[in-house]
DNA sequence: TTGAAAGCGCTAACAC
DNA sequence: GTGTTAGCGCTTTCAA
């Protein structure tokens, strides 16, 4: 049987209340007593019972981390990295993270994850795009919620977002600095705010540098942002208009797909066409050439989201904040150098 | 305030004990009472408090799912899929899965995950290879443990393993059926039992079909099993001995790396050389050509592991079982057809 | 077939 | 500064 607070109290010759106070490092305990109690704790290898604490307090000590299963199973470990950041941070505080997925096609009648349904969590972190109906249903629960890399259309929430606008701007300016004037953009799932912002950044850069914005150099009709979509997007763009000398792809997966297409066309990268991606999902050293991209601080995003959650929980304040995480250009060999 | 068992009791005009019995669907409650109570439960939208239950019972209702962080962050969502299987299954039973990672270089002095240290879990599922020292330390805790895709050198445990031997055999026989006689094998991390077994399967097939086993067609000195290792392994093999017409790579990542190498050599796949992988990590439709591989049932492995855990926990029996999960060949375009 | 009551381990209000 | 004690929500004897 694992030791209880009583065992500690007995061993240290104090009351259980005192032990409890020491555990919480309370002011009004003498140093001597603290020392005694801590010694007993160590000797018994005592750890407070989680359930017992939770029962008396009213919090559960759990935070749900929710995402759709296809996001979790994506080829690239994007949300995995974010989760890890959250998990690391939660270890410091006294929280457990409950990772749960919902079907991508979550509907009105699908069951919410059990821990949420039973209110066995103090808060909810939602990563990536989720169906509106999920948000609606969660909203009714009045559970403190933090979004990562996604922001609902309606409602006020705290969120950790990527500075996609600035990222799109930077990425495009990098190409411009390399001397490119006819730059293409490929994107998918263009309704997604993140993708849309990257595109806006692209347009801003074009405008800022007095280049011509040519809609024929843009292809945003792909539904998803997979490698396959990238391949097809590049293909269609190539059919429309093939004076393009550089491509900004809305993410690395599409960039890789596009790369594949151009190689099949016997075009050299970056000699014939430069490609820049977004996310830095995979520093695959075998990739040929290594992809220039915008690095998104995945671990940090998870960390930030958890801290935000703790703030909300502690202060019980309802001032919604949005954090924009900075992105950083990682110049590899798929752009420029070839001039 | 969320409703408690008392609220339900009051509303149904019974005692809390009766409500509890109904919740557990106990025999000796009349159907009428059951109906009454269930009605009240529904009306109040009552859910039993997890902590309260756990406090009185002695179990925690949690299972830890442990893996090294580089496994979790791998490019391919291999263990992610396994986790998801576990999670799905745990939802059915009344369990939560606590996903925690340890540093890949976990040492004697690193802290164990908090939920384990504080014994806040009923059992432990370990996925993939972990350091010996971790196993040693966990063993002292006497926590029921199930391993997935890994089996410790010492000790008796339950485990869900891949039928690597048979998979290696099948993969090689596929190449043999295609008419190949000079078949190479590339592998990394050859100390890993899974890799070793795949290699043994390879040798068995060669022998069974009376082909010549030529050690110069084998390269197993790479430390890891990444794409990069695959590239290098193929390269070295090519320098040694280049009459090989087919390659069995110990996993898909290495197969992809090897593919890249042969393409750089201007060899056609599968016309000049066939390649088969193992794992089916990513049905990347852009991959050229799509990779023939051995499919590993990732979700099912997670499911099985959880069921095993529940068996151990329920029966409290200590009969260690190993399950070998079957693998299935997925023939795509990187092998054969070219004859 | 049902109810009363003790107790799981801990916290916090209050007493000393 | 420290101890006493009620009670968090639930399960489980034991009694009725």
């Amino acid at each position: 049987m694992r030791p209880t607070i009583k065992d500690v109290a007995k061993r240290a010759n104090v009351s259980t209340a005192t032990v409890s106070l020491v555990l919480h490092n309370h002011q009004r305990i003498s140093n001597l007593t603290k020392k005694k109690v801590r010694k007993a704790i160590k000797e018994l290898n005592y750890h407070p019972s989680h359930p017992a604490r939770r029962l008396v307090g009213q919090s559960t000590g759990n935070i749900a981390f929710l995402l759709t299963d296809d996001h979790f199973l994506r080829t690239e470990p994007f949300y995995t990295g974010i989760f890890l950041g959250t998990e690391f941070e939660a270890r410091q505080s006294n929280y457990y993270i409950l990772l749960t997925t919902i079907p991508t096609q979550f509907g009105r009648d699908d069951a919410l994850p059990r821990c949420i349904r039973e209110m066995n969590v103090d808060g909810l972190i939602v990563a990536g795009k989720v169906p509106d109906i999920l948000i609606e249903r969660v909203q009714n629960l009045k559970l403190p919620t933090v979004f990562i890399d996604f922001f609902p259309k309606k409602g006020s929430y705290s969120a950790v977002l990527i500075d996609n606008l600035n990222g799109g701007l930077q990425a495009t300016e990098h190409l411009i600095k390399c001397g490119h004037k006819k730059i293409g953009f490929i994107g998918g799932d263009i309704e997604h705010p993140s993708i849309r912002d990257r595109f806006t950044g692209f347009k801003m850069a074009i405008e800022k540098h007095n280049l011509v914005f040519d809609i024929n150099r843009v292809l945003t009709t792909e539904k998803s942002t997979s490698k396959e979509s990238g391949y097809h997007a590049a293909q269609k763009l190539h059919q429309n208009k093939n004076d393009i000398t550089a491509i900004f792809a809305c993410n690395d997966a599409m960039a890789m797909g596009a790369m594949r297409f151009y190689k099949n066309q016997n075009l050299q990268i970056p000699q014939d066409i430069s490609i820049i991606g977004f996310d830095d999902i995979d520093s695959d050293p075998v990739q040929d050439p290594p992809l220039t991209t915008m690095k998104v601080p995945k671990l940090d995003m998870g960390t930030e989201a958890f801290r935000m959650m703790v703030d909300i929980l502690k202060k019980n304040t309802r001032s919604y904040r949005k954090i924009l995480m900075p992105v950083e250009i990682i110049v590899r060999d798929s752009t420029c150098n070839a001039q």
Side-chain angles (χ1 to χ4, degrees), chain A:
Chain A
M1 214 43 211
R2 57 189 278 184
T4 74
I5 199 170
K6 278 189 195 161
D7 300 319
V8 177
K10 211 171 289 172
R11 186 174 192 103
N13 270 315
V14 294
S15 72
T16 61
T18 303
V19 176
S20 179
L21 289 174
V22 172
L23 283 172
H24 293 265
N25 203 13
H26 205 283
Q27 305 287 347
R28 58 177 196 194
I29 299 287
S30 73
N31 278 328
L32 185 69
T33 313
K34 275 189 189 169
K35 209 162 277 174
K36 262 198 320 189
V37 172
R38 290 205 175 115
K39 184 156 165 280
I41 289 175
K42 202 147 244 164
E43 286 168 355
L44 293 172
N45 188 29
Y46 164 78
H47 292 286
S49 145
H50 211 73
R53 279 197 158 164
R54 295 321 172 178
L55 180 54
V56 57
Q58 68 285 60
S59 74
T60 68
N62 299 323
I63 305 287
F65 187 99
L66 187 87
L67 74 177
T68 61
D69 42 24
D70 70 341
H71 276 162
F72 189 55
L73 285 178
R74 275 168 78 161
T75 316
E76 336 88 59
F78 184 83
Y79 290 107
T80 316
I82 294 178
F83 170 82
L84 217 55
T86 306
E87 221 277 308
F88 281 159
E89 193 64 20
R91 272 184 220 175
Q92 322 294 20
S93 323
N94 257 335
Y95 276 98
Y96 290 124
I97 304 294
L98 268 30
L99 175 60
T100 48
T101 57
I102 52 162
T104 308
Q105 300 301 334
F106 183 87
R108 185 165 298 277
D109 300 325
D110 284 306
L112 286 170
R114 193 169 55 94
C115 60
I116 296 178
R117 214 173 51 233
E118 303 181 357
M119 288 302 273
N120 210 315
V121 290
D122 301 335
L124 173 63
I125 295 178
V126 177
K129 194 174 167 187
V130 292
D132 292 344
I133 179 70
L134 185 269
I135 296 169
E136 213 174 283
R137 286 175 59 189
V138 162
Q139 203 165 26
N140 296 334
L141 268 36
K142 311 203 161 190
L143 207 55
T145 304
V146 171
F147 286 88
I148 303 181
D149 191 30
F150 179 68
F151 202 83
K153 291 180 198 121
K154 301 187 233 174
S156 316
Y157 297 99
S158 284
V160 177
L161 303 169
I162 300 167
D163 194 349
N164 290 297
L165 199 76
N166 184 44
L169 185 74
Q170 268 189 63
T172 313
E173 287 196 313
H174 166 71
L175 296 174
I176 294 172
K177 267 188 220 132
C178 292
H180 294 286
K181 302 211 180 310
K182 298 176 177 171
I183 304 175
F185 178 88
I186 57 177
D189 191 14
I190 193 69
E191 292 304 312
H192 193 298
S194 296
I195 310 293
R196 186 172 284 285
D197 285 354
R198 290 172 194 186
F199 183 39
T200 306
F202 168 78
K203 287 186 286 192
M204 281 168 58
I206 297 288
E207 200 163 317
K208 179 171 161 195
H209 293 267
N210 297 311
L211 298 181
V212 181
F213 176 77
D214 183 345
I215 192 71
N216 291 313
R217 298 204 184 100
V218 170
L219 205 138
T220 56
T221 50
E222 291 297 314
K223 272 204 285 294
S224 86
T225 55
S226 61
K227 277 193 205 173
E228 201 175 11
S229 309
Y231 188 97
H232 291 140
Q235 190 169 37
K236 287 183 204 154
L237 204 56
H238 197 66
Q239 283 159 4
N240 280 355
K241 183 94 178 179
N242 45 33
D243 61 350
I244 290 169
T245 65
I247 289 280
F248 170 27
C250 76
N251 72 352
D252 285 357
M254 288 194 78
M256 289 174 190
M259 224 186 233
R260 160 86 46 220
F261 169 76
Y262 291 118
K263 281 195 203 165
N264 285 358
Q265 299 295 308
N266 281 317
L267 293 176
Q268 300 274 317
I269 301 163
Q271 289 82 346
D272 298 321
I273 189 156
S274 283
I275 300 186
I276 186 169
F278 207 114
D279 283 351
D280 194 34
I281 52 173
D282 177 24
S283 40
D284 182 347
V286 176
Q287 176 127 14
D288 180 32
L291 185 66
T292 295
T293 191
M294 304 303 299
K295 178 177 179 171
V296 172
K298 294 173 272 292
L299 282 172
D300 291 350
M301 289 177 71
T303 305
E304 277 308 325
F306 184 78
R307 288 197 186 141
M308 258 182 166
M309 177 57 76
V310 170
D311 279 355
I312 296 176
L313 259 23
K314 285 257 168 70
K315 295 195 225 153
N316 210 18
T317 174
R318 272 293 193 283
S319 75
Y320 302 106
R321 287 189 297 141
K322 283 190 196 183
I323 301 185
L324 283 187
M325 301 298 283
V327 296
E328 180 194 353
I329 189 162
I330 306 289
V331 179
R332 298 206 184 90
D333 304 335
S334 68
T335 51
C336 277
N337 306 329
Q339 303 304 310

